[in-house]
Amino acid sequence: GQSLEQPSEVTAVEGAIVQINCTYQTSGFYGLSWYQQHDGGAPTFLSYNALDGLEETGRFSSFLSRSDSYGYLLLQELQMKDSASYFCAVHASGGSYIPTFGRGTSLIVHP
Amino acid sequence: DGGITQSPKYLFRKEGQNVTLSCEQNLNHDAMYWYRQDPGQGLRLIYYSQIVNDFQKGDIAEGYSVSREKKESFPLTVTSAQKNPTAFYLCASSMGPAGGPVNEQFFGPGTRLTVL
């Protein structure tokens, strides 16, 4: 089976930087995705890492360490609209490569 | 505009009734998926389909059924056998089969099902 661990809640202030960690256990690891979901809305894709290192997309970056079974999502210059839930999802051969989602991290951005 | 539509947004049913949730996409995607989300939980896979006329059970398929007669459509039926059907149901699609070079999933707006 597959399991993922991420913090249930993170709080930060506008303009700050926040890091949301994700650790996973799986066999046949293929890649790690991140999704954002605003309350009551549809998840939207943020990033995908298959190789070690940092992927940067605007204010958001995602990091993967395959040897440590660990990744994180880094959000810079936080804005109020970034308040949402963030899910990491692991893709593995054991799950037919379909993403298995973590329980999500609720990010609360304060003014 | 291309996208995924789900209807209805809110659905109420009496216990013991079957109900079918609609999911349509015009993205020309091969793969489609159904997830269930409970409060404070992640998304759990119910069923998925990589190609027309073929579908596979996910992690929590019991009490659900699907069909994939057309590429654009992947309806989900919640049967009376599902013990706790009240949840938020999300449909998604992706360009190619899982494990291919493109892994991004596109989600519909969801259907919130309440069984009374």
Side-chain angles (χ1 to χ4, degrees), chain A residues 24-85:
Chain A
Y24 58 85
Q25 286 188 314
T26 188
S27 57
F29 177 80
Y30 192 76
L32 190 72
S33 293
W34 288 92
Y35 285 79
Q36 178 192 61
Q37 184 182 32
H38 285 98
D39 197 29
T44 55
F45 175 82
L46 293 176
S47 67
Y48 174 76
N49 296 67
L51 302 176
D52 286 355
L54 192 68
E55 296 275 347
E56 298 182 63
T57 308
R59 294 188 297 114
F60 293 3
S61 303
S62 58
F63 172 83
L64 176 65
S65 169
R66 295 173 68 108
S67 60
D68 294 323
S69 297
Y70 164 74
Y72 65 73
L73 181 69
L74 189 73
L75 297 85
Q76 303 182 71
E77 301 172 19
L78 280 175
Q79 302 174 9
M80 296 294 289
K81 67 178 182 180
D82 297 329
S83 292
S85 291

Side-chain angles (χ1 to χ4, degrees), chain A residues 30 33 35 37 40-45 48 87 91 95-104, chain B residues 9 33 35 37 40-43 45 48 50 88 90 98-100 103-105 107-109 112:
Chain A
Y30 192 76
S33 293
Y35 285 79
Q37 184 182 32
T44 55
F45 175 82
Y48 174 76
F87 296 89
H91 303 247
S96 301
Y97 304 102
I98 295 167
T100 295
F101 289 82
R103 290 174 173 251
Chain B
K9 188 168 179 65
Y33 314 82
Y35 291 92
Q37 187 174 32
Q41 302 290 317
L43 284 67
L45 183 66
Y48 65 98
Q50 306 265 34
F88 188 46
L90 286 157
N103 289 280
E104 177 181 356
Q105 289 193 330
F107 284 83
R112 194 167 297 279

